[in-house]
Amino acid sequence: MEELAAEASDPAQLEHLIRRVQAYNPQADTQLIRRAYEYSARMHAEQKRESGEPYVTHPLNVALIIAQLKLDLPSIITGLLHDVVEDTIASLDEVRDLFGSEVASLVDGATKVSKITFSSRAEKQAENFRKMVIAMAHDIRVVLIKLADRLHNMRTLSHLARDRQEEIARETLEIYAPIAHRLGIYWLKSELEDAAFRYVNPTAYATLKAHVARTMAESEEYIRAVIGIIAQRLEEAGVKAEVIGRPKNIYSIHRKMQEEGLHFDQIYDLVAFRIIVGTLRECYEALGVAHASWKPIPGRFKDYIALPKVNMYQSLHTTVIGPQGQRMEVQIRTAEMHKVAEEGIAAHWSYKEGGTSELRETERFAWLRRLIEWQQNLKDPQEFLSTVKDDLFPEEVFVFTPKGDVLDFPQGATVIDFAYRIHSQVGQHLSAARVNGKLVPLRYRLKSGDTIEVVTSERQSPGKDWMSFAATARAKSRIRQWLRAQQAERSIKWGITLIERELEPLGLTVAQLRTGKRFEPVLKEFSYKEVDSLLAAVGYGIITSAQLLAKLLTPDELKLYRAEKAPAPPAPSDNGRVSREMRRAASGNAVIVSGVGDMLVRFARCCGPLPNEEIIGFITRGRGVTVHLKGCPHAMVSDPQRRVPVVWKDGEESPRPVRLEVLSIDQPGLLAAMSKTIASAGVNISTAEVKSTGNDGRALSVFELSVGSARQLNSLIHQIGAIDGVMRVARVGMGSSNGHRA
């Protein structure tokens, strides 16, 4: 990748931008670029960056990155102007008058996307991500400009405060790098990942960077030798090719270590060798040469030419045992495929006479169409964010329908995902499945090459366990909708039963009240829009029958109702004690339940929320309010009508139980080092369990801790992760051994 130097705003840097644009778009209007730069410099004249440099250095460098992506002239102009409307006195109308409606539209889109902040409260974060998806669908250039903006900000992140560095870096890893990957711009994705990793986990980054530098210095001769051998054998086979060796980026090595539980010394394929040939036929000939020269590793061959990735990436991947017994990854592709692999969507930008451009084949971005479909179907913004994050960065599995059509799925997808991909109704009534002609359970995980046939039954419907089997956003959202609908239906029936018990002395029924339009006038008083929602609230226990009837009945009916209603007998002593204990528990809650009053509160064991974390409450019949982390999968299955806002009390840092799993090398002294780190952080260890994972030289340690806040936990996770020999630290639910990486 070409390094972009220069942070100065001198004329030489502007000329550098113009030369770069002319190199791929000779017809570009260079005077327009100069005018845009001068306008940007004038508008930002009084502003400085955190580094102390003139602010205009930022839009100039963003434009340079956009030029590196080889985007069209309006995109270059927008790069120079992307902050003027948001940060200066310039107006959108003025930009339109000076530079045209297309540039104004892009600047407007970039301004709106720039206002999206992912580090804010979870609901706002989720809604903002939805806005980014809509912007991406409207004009993909807006997001490409935003990626260029983010890349330059990551290059200059050292000038910000530590907490802001970590916040922006984490957002980059979770949102922007996966988008760059999905757009197929791998050099951009790699630089974003490495720059973000440096701030998210500085210790691990520095250690790994030193390991890589040392290893690469030792391997330079080896790399040159391998390139020479491959080039010679290809020449002997009559295949003209260019052979290059590319070291893997630091974050991808870190991810592999984390996912496979490996130490750095166990990572052998640090370099990917690329063979770039002229024709499709030569790709397979080169593959034959590689396999004839070195023994291929079973299961490590992938044909992304016959089955391209969803972002149009095509290449042959194989791993072989190379010289000196070292594993080598070899990627084989044509020059055109290499262009797509390096530039992604930008490789499909074509220029017509006069310097105008058009983007071809955007319809091939099936994942983008799916994002738009989900954002329309999922009404809960946070659920949308959770689903999209799951789907942004998958490794694909390719399977066949009985008719021979090829469908792609993320790794871990099951036949349930397949059924919902065919049609929502097929998924809702899935009863059995055959894979390659054999019956399999619904939890069967799809493998590339499988042929899937599903069997449906009108009597079949989704169960709660389906949520743990499904992997795709579409299947999860449909299953959630079904489960919520079933919960709501049961609660409406129970609400009707409770109300009619009270109405029995009056000879009235809910049906009669509905026919007489008696419910509608009181909906607003209880903050509901529909009668069914009001009835469900009674079923959930949010509203009591007595509260509702006090508003529904006429004065005469109410007088008769109260006269007929027998006074409640004195409660037995045990019940009185329970009631007093519930009141005491409620009054001592660590959280405040909005709009419900004094209620018993309990914390979900599936996610174990901590003070300072975003939380949500769900009313549980007979058990008060259960508090979950926002985004907890178990909470998402619950009916939104049962949801109540909850917040931590100010200053609340009461210790709460948390379980951590630590995967490490099995070596003496490591448990003592982890225990010392935990104690030094002021955290109490309730229980600790250590066991070997087998003959692989690794150990799994499980700690149950009492932690006061999310900040304390995150700090502790970073400290444990920095211990030499620790491979992965994960926070898991208190009631389960299945967790998520913290």
Side-chain angles (χ1 to χ4, degrees):
M1 185 194 70
E2 178 185 354
E3 287 296 327
L4 299 177
E7 293 289 328
S9 58
D10 55 54
Q13 187 69 353
L14 175 60
E15 295 307 317
H16 178 42
L17 170 63
I18 290 171
R19 286 195 302 273
R20 173 168 285 177
V21 173
Q22 287 180 317
Y24 68 88
N25 184 5
Q27 304 300 321
D29 184 348
T30 58
Q31 287 306 310
L32 190 63
I33 297 175
R34 295 181 198 278
R35 280 174 43 215
Y37 170 75
E38 290 165 3
Y39 180 78
S40 180
R42 188 166 68 253
M43 290 296 105
H44 292 295
E46 303 302 318
Q47 298 173 339
K48 301 281 187 185
R49 301 206 81 209
E50 292 289 339
S51 62
E53 296 168 308
Y55 191 88
V56 75
T57 60
H58 171 63
L60 183 55
N61 276 276
V62 170
L64 277 163
I65 296 168
I66 293 169
Q68 188 173 352
L69 290 168
K70 298 184 174 64
L71 300 192
D72 60 359
L73 185 61
S75 300
I76 301 293
I77 303 303
T78 302
L80 291 167
L81 304 177
H82 74 276
D83 280 337
V84 295
V85 173
E86 183 178 6
D87 294 342
T88 77
I89 61 171
S91 69
L92 197 61
D93 287 339
E94 186 176 20
V95 170
R96 185 177 293 106
D97 290 342
L98 292 172
F99 301 101
S101 58
E102 185 176 7
V103 168
S105 175
L106 288 172
V107 169
D108 185 39
T111 301
K112 289 174 180 174
V113 172
S114 292
K115 290 178 181 176
I116 295 174
T117 54
F118 295 94
S119 53
S120 56
R121 297 177 69 86
E123 293 245 349
K124 185 179 177 185
Q125 173 190 16
E127 185 55 41
N128 282 335
F129 190 80
R130 189 194 293 266
K131 290 175 185 173
M132 174 171 272
V133 169
I134 294 169
M136 197 171 359
H138 177 68
D139 193 327
I140 202 79
R141 291 176 295 177
V142 169
V143 175
L144 292 168
I145 291 163
K146 180 61 182 175
L147 287 172
D149 179 35
R150 175 51 58 107
L151 179 58
H152 185 250
N153 282 332
M154 291 304 300
R155 288 174 175 173
T156 55
L157 200 59
S158 60
H159 300 290
L160 298 185
R162 179 73 188 97
D163 60 335
R164 283 290 290 151
Q165 288 175 344
E166 185 173 350
E167 195 175 274
I168 292 169
R170 195 170 296 282
E171 172 185 298
T172 300
L173 274 183
E174 291 182 359
I175 303 294
Y176 290 101
I179 287 176
H181 171 84
R182 277 300 210 161
L183 293 174
I185 312 169
Y186 287 102
W187 69 264
L188 180 57
K189 167 233 177 195
S190 297
E191 188 174 347
L192 286 173
E193 285 179 341
D194 283 358
F197 181 41
R198 175 184 173 187
Y199 294 100
V200 168
N201 195 335
T203 305
Y205 173 83
T207 302
L208 200 51
K209 186 177 181 182
H211 281 320
V212 170
R214 186 190 70 244
T215 305
M216 292 306 297
E218 295 169 355
S219 303
E220 282 181 4
E221 184 57 39
Y222 174 82
I223 294 168
R224 282 196 295 270
V226 170
I227 289 174
I229 294 170
I230 295 175
Q232 181 182 343
R233 295 187 181 176
L234 288 170
E235 187 178 352
E236 290 170 356
V239 178
K240 293 181 65 176
E242 177 188 3
V243 185
I244 52 179
R246 177 190 62 85
K248 290 188 174 180
N249 70 304
I250 292 174
Y251 184 69
S252 69
I253 297 170
H254 171 74
R255 281 188 68 225
K256 185 168 185 175
M257 291 168 60
Q258 295 281 302
E259 290 169 0
E260 299 184 18
L262 301 174
H263 193 266
F264 180 79
D265 295 336
Q266 296 172 293
I267 304 287
Y268 297 108
D269 49 347
L270 294 174
V271 178
F273 292 94
R274 288 179 180 160
I275 300 174
I276 301 170
V277 296
T279 65
L280 178 63
R281 178 178 58 81
E282 288 175 327
C283 288
Y284 292 95
E285 289 177 357
L287 177 69
V289 171
H291 283 181
S293 302
W294 297 292
K295 185 177 180 180
I297 296 174
R300 297 292 304 223
F301 169 66
K302 292 183 179 178
D303 188 342
Y304 292 120
I305 294 179
L307 296 169
K309 291 189 177 185
V310 291
N311 58 15
M312 301 181 289
Y313 175 89
Q314 288 184 287
S315 187
L316 299 177
H317 288 198
T318 188
T319 303
V320 299
I321 304 295
Q324 302 173 22
Q326 291 198 28
R327 290 188 177 197
M328 307 187 319
E329 183 182 3
V330 181
Q331 302 172 356
I332 306 166
R333 59 184 72 141
T334 66
E336 178 62 27
M337 293 172 191
H338 183 62
K339 180 179 173 67
V340 173
E342 290 299 295
E343 300 175 13
I345 191 172
H348 292 261
W349 218 272
S350 62
Y351 289 87
K352 300 176 181 177
E353 291 183 12
T356 59
S357 64
E358 62 176 358
L359 185 63
R360 297 177 289 123
E361 301 187 80
T362 51
E363 67 276 4
R364 293 180 62 184
F365 282 88
W367 65 277
L368 184 53
R369 290 201 306 276
R370 289 201 294 267
L371 286 185
I372 303 308
E373 178 190 341
W374 297 332
Q375 77 87 16
Q376 291 169 344
N377 290 332
L378 297 178
K379 303 304 180 188
D380 183 341
Q382 193 169 347
E383 183 181 336
F384 173 67
L385 178 62
S386 174
T387 6
V388 170
K389 275 186 177 179
D390 288 344
D391 207 75
L392 256 183
F393 212 167
E395 289 295 325
E396 286 82 17
V397 172
F398 297 93
V399 299
F400 296 91
T401 68
K403 293 182 179 179
D405 296 327
V406 179
L407 299 178
D408 63 290
F409 292 88
Q411 279 190 355
T414 63
V415 293
I416 292 175
D417 298 294
F418 179 90
Y420 277 100
R421 180 74 169 273
I422 299 302
H423 195 278
S424 294
Q425 287 302 309
V426 174
Q428 301 291 58
H429 300 295
L430 173 66
S431 62
R434 293 186 181 89
V435 175
N436 304 324
K438 296 181 180 178
L439 279 172
V440 297
L442 300 186
R443 64 179 179 273
Y444 174 85
R445 295 189 183 279
L446 306 179
K447 299 181 180 66
S448 285
D450 282 345
T451 298
I452 317 296
E453 180 185 357
V454 295
V455 180
T456 60
S457 167
E458 287 300 319
R459 293 193 298 268
Q460 181 67 43
S461 60
K464 278 191 176 182
D465 57 337
W466 284 27
M467 282 300 298
S468 59
F469 302 151
T472 59
R474 181 188 181 91
K476 286 180 178 179
S477 67
R478 295 295 190 273
I479 295 166
R480 285 193 192 107
Q481 288 170 10
W482 172 270
L483 295 175
R484 287 172 178 172
Q486 296 307 299
Q487 284 184 344
E489 188 177 330
R490 286 194 297 269
S491 295
I492 291 168
K493 288 179 179 177
W494 180 240
I496 292 171
T497 300
L498 292 174
I499 295 168
E500 291 192 337
R501 282 181 187 174
E502 301 293 309
L503 290 173
E504 190 174 355
L506 303 179
L508 292 173
T509 65
V510 169
Q512 289 172 327
L513 295 178
R514 293 190 81 152
T515 302
K517 304 288 185 183
R518 301 274 288 272
F519 285 100
E520 281 74 7
V522 303
L523 286 175
K524 192 172 183 181
E525 291 190 52
F526 290 101
S527 302
Y528 288 97
K529 294 180 180 179
E530 300 170 349
V531 175
D532 280 348
S533 300
L534 183 61
L535 296 173
V538 175
Y540 290 138
I542 299 173
I543 301 169
T544 66
S545 302
Q547 287 174 321
L548 180 58
L549 293 180
K551 302 290 184 181
L552 276 178
L553 300 178
T554 66
D556 289 342
E557 289 170 342
L558 194 57
K559 186 176 179 180
L560 180 59
Y561 165 71
R562 286 171 176 164
E564 292 287 337
K565 188 173 173 61
S573 57
D574 280 354
N575 287 350
R577 187 182 72 248
V578 171
S579 177
R580 286 194 300 276
E581 287 176 356
M582 288 180 68
R583 283 198 296 272
R584 277 201 300 274
S587 63
N589 284 341
V591 300
I592 300 168
V593 183
S594 173
V596 177
D598 206 21
M599 288 197 72
L600 180 67
V601 169
R602 63 193 190 98
F603 293 92
R605 291 178 63 82
C606 54
C607 53
L610 292 172
N612 308 126
E613 291 185 306
E614 295 287 335
I615 51 176
I616 188 69
F618 286 87
I619 291 181
T620 308
R621 191 178 300 126
R623 290 183 291 170
V625 173
T626 302
V627 178
H628 289 264
L629 278 175
K630 278 191 176 176
C632 171
H634 290 84
M636 285 185 175
V637 176
S638 301
D639 190 333
Q641 292 184 15
R642 293 169 48 203
R643 186 179 300 171
V644 289
V646 290
V647 294
W648 295 100
K649 284 184 178 176
D650 288 343
E652 175 60 36
E653 291 208 356
S654 302
R656 297 208 51 76
V658 169
R659 178 180 288 179
L660 287 186
E661 284 187 355
V662 184
L663 184 66
S664 65
I665 297 171
D666 191 0
Q667 66 182 30
L670 203 52
L671 176 60
M674 289 188 285
S675 301
K676 183 179 178 181
T677 298
I678 295 169
S680 299
V683 174
N684 184 55
I685 302 175
S686 304
T687 64
E689 179 186 351
V690 184
K691 59 183 178 182
S692 173
T693 60
N695 298 321
D696 56 2
R698 296 183 291 173
L700 184 67
S701 305
V702 181
F703 298 96
E704 287 194 8
L705 312 172
S706 294
V707 181
S709 69
R711 285 190 297 269
Q712 187 180 31
L713 177 63
N714 290 334
S715 174
L716 179 61
I717 287 173
H718 286 148
Q719 291 175 50
I720 296 174
I723 297 173
D724 192 28
V726 171
M727 300 171 182
R728 186 178 71 237
V729 185
R731 173 184 177 183
V732 296
M734 293 296 296
S736 166
S737 60
N738 298 320
H740 61 277
R741 197 165 298 142

